[in-house]
Amino acid sequence: MAQKIKSNDMVKVIAGKDRGKEGQVRQVLPKRGRAVVQGVNMVKKHLRARGPNQPGGIVEREAPIHLSNLMLICRHCSKATRVGFRFRDDGKKVRYCKSCNEDID
C-alpha cells in the first residue's frame, strides 16, 4: 500500500498533546503505522552511564507519533491537506493535494 506521508515531508499534528505543531518527518515506521517528527512528541529518556566518555543523564528526544494524527502540508498552497493518489500521463503514481489539486511528488 502506498504511503501518504514520507520522510522529509512537512506535517501538522491534528490530535494529541502537540496539536497544532508543525515539523519535518525524520523517519517513517510503516509496519507500526508511526512517524518520527522533528520537535513533536518529545519524551525524556534516562540513559545509563557507559564509561567515562559517555556520562548518564536524562535526554529529551522525539518519540514516534501515529500517522492518523498527522496531516501533510502542501508545498504549493501551504495548507494542511488530505492526500490522494493518481497516475500521471507517463504512468507514474504520484500523491496530490486534494485542496489545490497539485502533484506533491
Side-chain angles (χ1 to χ4, degrees):
M1 191 166 133
Q3 288 282 326
K4 294 187 177 188
I5 295 176
K6 298 182 178 182
S7 293
N8 296 323
D9 283 344
M10 284 298 292
V11 293
K12 183 173 187 174
V13 179
I14 59 171
K17 66 179 183 180
D18 293 321
R19 179 181 18 227
K21 286 187 180 178
E22 297 179 1
Q24 187 175 14
V25 176
R26 288 189 176 194
Q27 182 184 14
V28 178
L29 309 167
K31 287 186 178 178
R32 293 174 54 194
R34 294 177 172 267
V36 178
V37 181
Q38 185 175 357
V40 173
N41 199 21
M42 300 298 286
V43 295
K44 287 180 167 41
K45 182 166 177 68
H46 297 254
L47 292 178
R48 179 179 294 172
R50 299 278 181 203
N53 354 349
Q54 290 184 331
I58 301 173
V59 178
E60 218 173 338
R61 54 183 286 203
E62 295 108 359
I65 187 169
H66 201 270
L67 291 173
S68 66
N69 296 330
L70 301 175
M71 278 187 94
L72 183 70
I73 297 176
C74 177
R75 295 179 187 145
H76 303 286
C77 62
S78 300
K79 292 193 288 190
T81 182
R82 293 182 298 142
V83 179
F85 293 95
R86 64 179 167 208
F87 290 97
R88 286 198 299 213
D89 295 334
D90 59 356
K92 185 175 182 205
K93 186 177 183 180
V94 294
R95 300 178 296 168
Y96 74 96
C97 171
K98 292 226 177 174
S99 298
C100 66
N101 210 24
E102 290 284 334
D103 286 351
I104 294 172
D105 294 324

